[in-house]
């Protein structure tokens, strides 16, 4: 294990691990969840498989911790300690009346705090206790870091609550303005550690506001897909095609100028939401087109012929956002000096 990292390398490892970990933990249910939620009614085995998809999500904080540890080239035992710290401090497990339950996937922003502390402690303390490392490090790295995360969680979660309050205010505005502002906000925040699904369910986004949230995610996915297409490998592009744009968290943090096309694509998708009449529920918001959760819910609220509605959703969710993302990307390359093709390059050492 290399104990010498610059601050830039340290935080880059954290963000890279988070981006990859979120995709690994959430993509199975995002892709197959709708299908197996439907199939579960036909046989207990199918219902059990659907439960396995959900359990994969609940393990996200542990998965991210292990992958972050791998970014630092920690040993397997060290990686498990980092993963355990993440699980303890993320808030995924709730304790009520002595009962421990998985209540959510955890607060990723607070998870970052825990991972920074646990990885720092691992770097500084590894090997300091000789043969007692296996006895002392699980306490100092896993338990202490996780405990600190439990203490910071109520304060860090106010960030998510604040954004939720802002989006909740947007939902009270004129429908057209509401669709635009929510779509832009979701587009700008999609590729961050903030859980947009949690915000949607907490605020109770429904109807057009839910549709606008989903379309904002579509805007972000298309933005990164177009930017990534010629600079990243096939695997990365396939992940983006299925809608797992959170993989690009480290890219977005390193090059915040990407917010420019995200804003304009969010605007376009907000307009599409309003004029097509895309609606949804709090539970369907936050998925975009991944697993067809957004379109499957939107079509339930549409009047008229089924085939016509399918074509409208195809245009709104895929064709128009893809074309507009390409046009905006091309214009940004010509107009913005710091906006270059290689800013979308994803480098993963895991």
């Amino acid at each position: 294990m290399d104990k010498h990292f610059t601050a830039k390398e340290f935080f880059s490892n954290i963000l890279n691990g988070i981006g990859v970990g979120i995709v690994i933990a959430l993509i199975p249910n995002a892709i197959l969840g709708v299908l197996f939620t439907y199939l579960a009614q036909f046989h207990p085995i199918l219902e059990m498989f659907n439960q396995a998809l959900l359990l994969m999500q609940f393990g996200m904080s542990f998965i991210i911790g292990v992958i972050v540890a791998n970014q630092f080239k920690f040993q397997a035992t060290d990686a498990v300690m980092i993963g355990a710290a993440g699980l303890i401090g993320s808030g995924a497990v709730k304790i009520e009346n002595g009962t421990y339950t998985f209540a959510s996937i955890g607060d990723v922003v607070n998870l970052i705090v825990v991972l920074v502390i646990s990885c720092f402690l691992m770097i500084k303390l590894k090997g300091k206790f000789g043969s007692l490392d296996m006895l002392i490090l699980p306490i100092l790295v896993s338990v202490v870091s996780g405990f600190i995360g439990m203490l910071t969680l109520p304060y860090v979660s106010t960030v998510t609550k604040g954004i939720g309050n802002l989006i909740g205010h947007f939902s009270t505005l004129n429908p057209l303005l509401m669709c635009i502002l929510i779509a832009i906000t979701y587009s700008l925040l999609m590729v961050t550690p903030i859980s947009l699904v949690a915000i949607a369910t907490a605020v109770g986004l429904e109807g057009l506001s839910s549709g606008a949230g989903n379309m904002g995610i579509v805007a972000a996915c298309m933005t990164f897909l177009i930017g990534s297409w010629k600079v990243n490998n096939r695997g990365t592009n396939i992940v983006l095609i299925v809608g797992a744009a959170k993989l690009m968290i480290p890219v977005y943090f390193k090059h915040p100028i990407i917010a420019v096309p995200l804003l304009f694509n969010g605007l376009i998708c907000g307009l599409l939401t309003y004029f097509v009449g895309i609606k949804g529920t709090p539970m369907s918001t936050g998925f975009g087109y991944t697993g067809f959760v957004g379109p499957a819910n939107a079509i339930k609220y549409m009047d008229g012929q089924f085939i016509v509605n399918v074509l409208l959703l195809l245009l709104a969710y895929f064709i128009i956002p893809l074309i507009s993302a390409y046009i905006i990307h091309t214009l940004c390359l010509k107009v913005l000096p710091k906006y270059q093709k290689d800013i979308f390059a994803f480098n993963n050492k895991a």
Side-chain angles (χ1 to χ4, degrees):
M1 179 184 69
D2 183 4
K3 293 192 175 185
H4 302 285
F5 295 96
T6 65
K8 182 179 180 180
E9 291 172 337
F10 184 88
F11 286 102
S12 178
N13 286 340
I14 298 287
L15 292 175
N16 279 332
I18 287 172
V20 175
I22 288 176
V23 171
I24 290 175
L26 301 186
I27 204 65
N29 188 57
I31 294 176
L32 300 175
V34 172
L35 174 62
F36 278 89
T37 297
Y38 171 73
L39 294 177
Q41 63 184 308
F42 297 112
H43 198 281
I45 291 295
L46 297 175
E47 181 180 2
M48 189 178 298
F49 188 83
N50 188 49
Q51 293 169 352
L53 292 171
L54 293 171
L55 287 171
M56 182 75 172
Q57 288 189 154
F58 288 128
M60 186 184 75
S61 54
F62 182 83
I63 292 170
I64 290 175
V66 171
I67 294 175
V68 166
N70 189 46
Q71 293 285 330
F72 287 95
K73 306 303 179 185
F74 292 156
Q75 295 177 358
T77 52
D78 304 334
V80 171
M81 294 181 207
I82 301 295
L87 180 63
I88 295 168
S90 67
V93 179
K94 301 295 183 183
I95 307 169
E96 294 183 0
N97 300 321
T99 302
Y100 296 74
T101 58
F102 276 104
S104 69
I105 60 176
D107 188 307
V108 181
V109 178
N110 199 61
L111 178 59
I112 292 176
V113 175
V114 175
L115 293 177
V116 167
I117 295 171
S118 59
C119 289
F120 178 80
L121 289 176
M122 183 63 73
I123 291 171
K124 294 298 181 181
L125 299 179
K126 177 71 174 179
K128 297 291 185 180
F129 307 102
S131 60
L132 296 178
D133 267 5
M134 290 294 292
L135 297 177
I136 298 176
L137 289 183
I139 298 173
L140 296 180
V141 174
S142 301
V143 178
V144 171
S145 298
F147 173 69
I148 294 173
M150 294 170 69
L151 295 176
T152 59
L153 180 62
Y155 304 100
V156 175
S157 62
T158 58
V159 175
T160 303
K161 291 177 182 177
I163 295 172
N165 291 335
L166 178 63
I167 293 175
H169 174 67
F170 290 160
S171 66
T172 66
L173 303 176
N174 169 278
L176 176 59
L177 182 59
M178 173 194 72
C179 289
I180 292 172
L181 291 176
I182 291 180
I184 289 175
T185 303
Y186 263 62
S187 178
L188 292 172
L189 295 179
M190 168 58 180
V191 189
T192 69
I194 295 170
S195 173
L196 298 180
V197 176
I199 290 176
T201 52
V203 177
L205 293 184
E206 57 184 354
L208 281 175
S209 62
S210 171
N214 263 327
M215 288 301 291
I217 289 172
V218 170
C221 291
M222 293 301 182
T223 299
F224 281 94
L225 177 59
I226 291 297
S228 168
W229 193 253
K230 292 186 177 181
V231 298
N232 287 314
N233 59 38
R234 183 186 304 173
T236 299
N237 289 328
I238 290 176
V239 169
L240 294 174
I241 287 173
V242 299
K246 280 193 181 291
L247 176 73
M248 305 297 277
I249 287 176
V251 172
Y252 188 27
F253 274 64
K254 187 176 180 180
H255 303 286
I257 196 170
I258 296 174
V260 175
L262 286 173
L263 189 152
F264 285 105
N265 286 322
L267 171 63
I268 298 296
C269 285
L271 292 172
L272 286 170
T273 303
Y274 178 78
F275 289 110
V276 176
I278 298 173
K279 298 178 181 180
T281 66
M283 292 304 296
S284 71
T285 313
F287 289 93
Y289 58 75
T290 304
F292 298 102
V293 174
N297 279 272
I299 202 166
K300 298 176 184 177
Y301 298 94
M302 299 178 73
D303 298 322
Q305 296 183 352
F306 178 79
I307 296 299
V308 173
N309 291 338
V310 170
L311 292 175
L312 283 174
L313 290 176
L314 185 64
L315 284 169
Y317 268 89
F318 301 99
I319 297 175
I320 295 177
L322 185 65
I323 294 172
S324 69
Y326 176 78
I327 294 172
I328 291 169
H329 176 68
T330 303
L331 290 174
C332 286
L333 288 173
K334 294 180 178 179
V335 175
L336 302 176
K338 293 185 178 180
Y339 189 90
Q340 305 293 330
K341 291 181 179 180
D342 60 1
I343 67 175
F344 287 91
F346 177 76
N347 297 312
N348 174 37
K349 298 180 294 180

